[in-house]
Amino acid sequence: MSFPLTRLRRLRQNPVLRDMVTETKVTVDDLIMPLFVCPGSKVKNPIPSMPGNYQMSIDVLVEECKSLMDVGIRAIILFGIPEEKDDTGMIAAHDDAIIPRAIDAIKKDVPGMFVIADVCNCEYTTHGHCGVVVNGDVDNDLTFNSLVAQSITFARHGVDMVAPSDMMDGRVLKIRQGLDAEGYYMMPIMAYSAKYASAFYGPFRDAAESAPQFGDRRSYQMNPANSDEAIRELEFDIAEGADIIMVKPALSYLDIIRRAKDRFNMPLAAYNVSGEFAMVKAAAEKGWIDEDRIILEILTSIKRAGTDIILTYHAKHFAEKLQ
Ligand code: PBG
């Protein structure tokens, strides 16, 4: 059927009709807000490259969770800035470490909040790498110890889901086995499966104080040039028991998201990362773009590409103004 029998503009002329035939709609249910928690009390340090985001002490974090709930954001992912760092990241698995204490406080005061904990070592190691360093590179299998220990501790403190972001081979299996052995067989794992070695993480590393002190992450995170390899990463994590798979970053990787959605019958997440957020904020500050429309278009495009879940620093702003 073609012109003049068919005219695609017929369905675009009326706003009600346009809404009726809208294929993709982002809602607050799709969104996870990342939050940064630090030691102290009444601390709310602005993160310069991520306007509107803060390093928060636990008391401030709890208040933020309440205000997120008020606008309908019911899921957060926590990143910790610890008092002390060590060589392995094992320090993050102590019961009195920053993330377990944050989980305790949120679960006590905001019980309806779905709390996800990022599981990784880079925020907790002196060298800023995501695992145990041996001879100048991250040792894959030695890194399992702290990842499994963190996951079990977070589970014991009542976290709702763990999200390993380290990119070691086999870590989903090890975490699954570790959780199951402790009786946490119902704890879901959201795996950062296809995580690229991306320059878009720059602002986050300032926020989480997690930049590598030497070298880079290219021996464990993926080459941005590769797409088939992303499918292998996703396949591996699914086989190892991941409940939700993730592509990260989002915007330069919409093709990977679409391939993943077409191929796997699995819930799929994408991380709209700090650099993607910072670019929008910087251009908006200069008055060069319409911030609200850009945010809506970005989130819609990530969902349209095939994601069910979006981790985004825009979550609160979206909930307050854009839905
Ligand atoms: C930790 C981790 C990173 C991000 C999420 N978890 C940083 C990194 O891998 O260097 C990035 C998030 C963002 O940029 O918003 N491994």
Side-chain angles (χ1 to χ4, degrees):
M1 210 64 81
S2 61
F3 184 84
L5 292 178
T6 301
R7 288 175 184 269
L8 294 173
R9 287 186 60 193
R10 279 184 205 127
L11 299 183
R12 294 185 199 137
Q13 56 192 328
N14 177 295
V16 179
L17 192 51
R18 279 202 299 274
D19 285 349
M20 253 181 235
V21 299
T22 295
E23 296 175 39
T24 307
K25 200 162 165 49
V26 177
T27 78
V28 285
D29 297 338
D30 307 324
L31 305 181
I32 299 172
M33 178 75 189
L35 297 175
F36 300 96
V37 55
C38 68
S41 72
K42 300 200 169 56
V43 180
K44 193 174 179 185
N45 287 335
I47 301 162
S49 53
M50 299 173 68
N53 291 266
Y54 304 86
Q55 297 177 334
M56 291 173 277
S57 53
I58 289 173
D59 50 333
V60 177
L61 178 79
V62 166
E63 291 311 308
E64 181 60 21
C65 286
K66 288 181 189 161
S67 78
L68 284 168
M69 281 295 249
D70 287 345
V71 296
I73 299 292
R74 295 176 299 163
I76 56 164
I77 182 161
L78 290 177
F79 297 95
I81 298 125
E83 243 140 30
E84 273 179 88
K85 302 192 184 212
D86 67 6
D87 279 355
T88 62
M90 199 53 111
I91 201 160
H94 297 169
D95 279 302
D96 59 355
I98 187 83
I99 295 293
R101 283 193 287 125
I103 298 166
D104 288 346
I106 297 168
K107 283 288 153 193
K108 179 170 159 282
D109 288 349
V110 199
M113 182 58 86
F114 190 85
V115 180
I116 306 162
D118 186 83
V119 173
C120 194
N121 294 309
C122 60
E123 299 122 83
Y124 310 107
T125 50
T126 45
H127 45 70
H129 277 288
C130 300
V132 179
V133 175
V134 178
N135 296 330
D137 196 9
V138 173
D139 186 282
N140 195 85
D141 298 12
L142 286 179
T143 300
F144 295 149
N145 293 332
S146 58
L147 298 175
V148 172
Q150 282 180 31
S151 302
I152 291 170
T153 302
F154 301 162
R156 188 165 58 244
H157 286 261
V159 83
D160 295 295
M161 182 154 76
V162 291
S165 68
D166 53 285
M167 287 298 280
M168 297 304 118
D169 290 322
R171 90 284 202 208
V172 173
L173 178 66
K174 293 291 172 184
I175 290 172
R176 182 74 274 156
Q177 289 172 337
L179 288 168
D180 289 2
E182 296 292 318
Y184 300 113
Y185 50 80
M186 291 300 286
M187 174 66 59
I189 299 176
M190 176 167 73
Y192 290 69
S193 303
K195 178 174 174 179
Y196 287 87
S198 172
F200 286 100
Y201 307 151
F204 173 94
R205 291 181 188 170
D206 296 335
E209 300 175 9
S210 65
Q213 299 303 301
F214 64 88
D216 55 40
R217 303 211 202 289
R218 277 182 265 202
S219 79
Y220 42 105
Q221 298 180 348
M222 278 185 59
N223 178 350
N226 294 357
S227 171
D228 290 346
E229 189 189 358
I231 301 301
R232 297 184 76 198
E233 284 284 3
L234 293 155
E235 264 167 3
F236 275 34
D237 283 0
I238 294 167
E240 290 174 26
D243 301 284
I244 298 173
I245 48 178
M246 193 199 298
V247 173
K248 178 185 172 188
L251 288 181
S252 292
Y253 301 87
L254 295 177
D255 57 325
I256 311 296
I257 293 171
R258 174 43 60 190
R259 272 189 84 179
K261 194 61 194 177
D262 286 344
R263 181 152 180 142
F264 304 111
N265 300 317
M266 289 275 296
L268 177 65
Y271 202 137
N272 176 213
V273 300
S274 58
E276 298 171 334
F277 174 84
M279 292 195 303
V280 172
K281 289 290 173 184
E285 230 167 66
K286 285 183 174 287
W288 289 350
I289 54 168
D290 179 334
E291 183 182 2
D292 287 351
R293 288 192 57 200
I294 291 265
I295 292 172
L296 202 51
E297 192 170 329
I298 284 174
L299 296 179
T300 302
S301 72
I302 296 170
K303 186 162 180 187
R304 190 198 62 231
T307 51
D308 304 289
I309 300 166
I310 306 172
L311 296 87
T312 179
Y313 305 96
H314 295 300
K316 192 176 186 188
H317 181 97
F318 173 88
E320 284 170 342
K321 267 185 93 180
L322 305 178
Q323 50 178 339

